[in-house]
């Protein structure tokens, strides 16, 4: 197959533009010019078919392993990307390459939340996790490792649901008192019924098998007020993936979240009891809408003792998650030093006490 790559160039010097999260605009790293989306759209509208012709002139081939190989339009180097990569970098000149043939038809997202924070913000957030951890392995403070943090647009499916739910619950009200030498306990048991209709908007499900679902769930929520109509321009300067989990396969996950939320909401309306146990629940759920969107995530993977430790930061809200392991050797040496110091101090106290 052959196709092309797409990039956005500076109207002044023709260098590649990158999206600037803080300014929510596009900045040229060479001439320092800044542009709004309207500026870029107007410039590219004037260029007309030149953009498509330039993109088509860049060959995208597949090797025998099914990996895509494209030629960087800036320096000519050959770059390898897997079948789900939609935006990547040239490792030599750092130009962004947006693989346009992978962002058409069903793989064209409806919306995107642009990055709100920068690589520097992500590095600062990661370093804050390590503060106050004297036994942190050196790999997690190595600036070369930390600088490998990457901004990635993760594919998500978002679903709207209408849910009619009901539940039966066993509720108990326990009362205790003392009279004379006797202690009394009275337990009243009630059968509680609740039902209601609820509507959910944009319940997200990770659409990529490359990223662990528990990590993606942990950095939620995203503020969907930040959604904008998808444009290739927002991918400039970042990596991006296309979904490899079909909507029909992701839908049951979102539906289960809607059911759980419905049950929890109904249960929370039962108050004034010592304990409440749900005995039976029913849901009638209907998916009313699904959309394919790209959400911003800063990712960092650090290898320590043959294990990969992933860290992720919500590229919109700045919420960072990840666990730093304990360097047992460093902790052991620290305790040895403490024991030696304690022994020396005790010995000196004993020796001085004997002299006096």
């Amino acid at each position: 197959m052959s196709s092309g790559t797409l990039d956005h160039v500076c109207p002044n010097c023709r260098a590649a533009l990158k999206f600037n999260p803080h300014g929510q605009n596009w900045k040229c790293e060479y001439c320092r010019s800044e542009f709004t989306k309207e500026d870029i759209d107007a410039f590219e509208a004037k260029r007309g078919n030149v953009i498509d012709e330039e993109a088509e002139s860049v060959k995208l081939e597949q090797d025998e392993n099914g990996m895509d190989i494209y030629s960087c339009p800036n320096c000519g180097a050959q770059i390898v990307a897997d079948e789900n990569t939609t935006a990547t970098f040239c490792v030599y000149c750092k130009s962004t390459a947006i693989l346009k043939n992978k962002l058409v038809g069903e793989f064209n997202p409806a919306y995107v939340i642009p990055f709100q924070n920068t690589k520097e913000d992500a590095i600062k957030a990661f370093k804050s996790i390590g503060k106050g951890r004297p036994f942190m392995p050196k790999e997690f403070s190595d600036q070369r490792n930390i600088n490998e943090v990457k901004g990635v647009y993760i594919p998500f499916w978002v679903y709207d649901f209408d849910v009619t739910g009901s539940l039966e619950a066993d509720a108990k009200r326990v009362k205790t008192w003392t009279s004379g030498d006797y202690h009394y306990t009275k337990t009243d048991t009630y059968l509680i019924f609740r039902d209601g209709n609820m509507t959910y908007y944009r319940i997200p499900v990770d659409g990529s098998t490359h990223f662990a679902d528990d990590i993606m769930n942990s950095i939620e929520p995203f503020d969907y007020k930040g959604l904008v109509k998808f444009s290739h321009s927002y991918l400039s300067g970042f990596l991006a993936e296309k979904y490899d989990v079909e909507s029909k396969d992701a839908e049951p996950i979102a539906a289960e979240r809607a059911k759980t939320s419905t049950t929890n909401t109904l249960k929370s309306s039962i108050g004034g009891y010592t304990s409440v146990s749900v005995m039976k629940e029913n849901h009638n759920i209907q998916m009313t809408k699904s959309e394919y969107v790209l959400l911003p995530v800063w990712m960092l993977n650090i290898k320590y003792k043959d294990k990969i430790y992933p860290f992720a930061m919500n590229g919109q809200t700045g919420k960072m998650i990840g666990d730093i392991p304990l360097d047992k050797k460093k902790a052991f040496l620290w305790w040895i030093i403490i024991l030696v110091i304690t022994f020396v101090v005790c010995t000196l106290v004993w020796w001085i006490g004997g002299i006096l």
Side-chain angles (χ1 to χ4, degrees), residues 183-246:
H183 298 281
Y184 298 91
T185 299
K186 179 186 178 184
T187 301
D188 294 318
T189 302
Y190 303 86
L191 182 60
I192 307 293
F193 297 91
R194 289 289 188 273
D195 61 71
N197 300 318
M198 300 179 194
T199 299
Y200 297 93
Y201 298 101
R202 290 178 172 151
I203 296 178
V205 179
D206 177 10
S208 172
T209 57
H210 290 178
F211 302 95
D213 291 342
D214 59 339
I215 293 178
M216 293 300 103
N217 293 339
S218 297
I219 62 173
E220 292 180 19
F222 288 88
D223 183 357
Y224 292 126
K225 292 180 181 178
L227 283 171
V228 298
K229 187 176 180 181
F230 175 74
S231 168
H232 300 93
S233 305
Y234 294 107
L235 305 187
S236 298
F238 299 94
L239 303 175
E241 295 273 321
K242 69 179 178 67
Y243 70 83
D244 59 358
V245 176
E246 297 293 335

Side-chain angles (χ1 to χ4, degrees), residues 135 330-346:
F135 306 133
K330 187 182 291 188
F332 176 75
L333 291 175
W334 187 84
W335 282 111
I336 291 295
I337 292 172
I338 294 297
L339 288 174
V340 170
I341 292 174
T342 301
F343 175 77
V344 171
V345 170
C346 290

Side-chain angles (χ1 to χ4, degrees), residues 8-20:
H8 298 280
V9 299
C10 174
N12 294 334
C13 70
R14 300 302 191 268
L17 288 176
K18 292 185 178 181
F19 181 70
N20 173 23

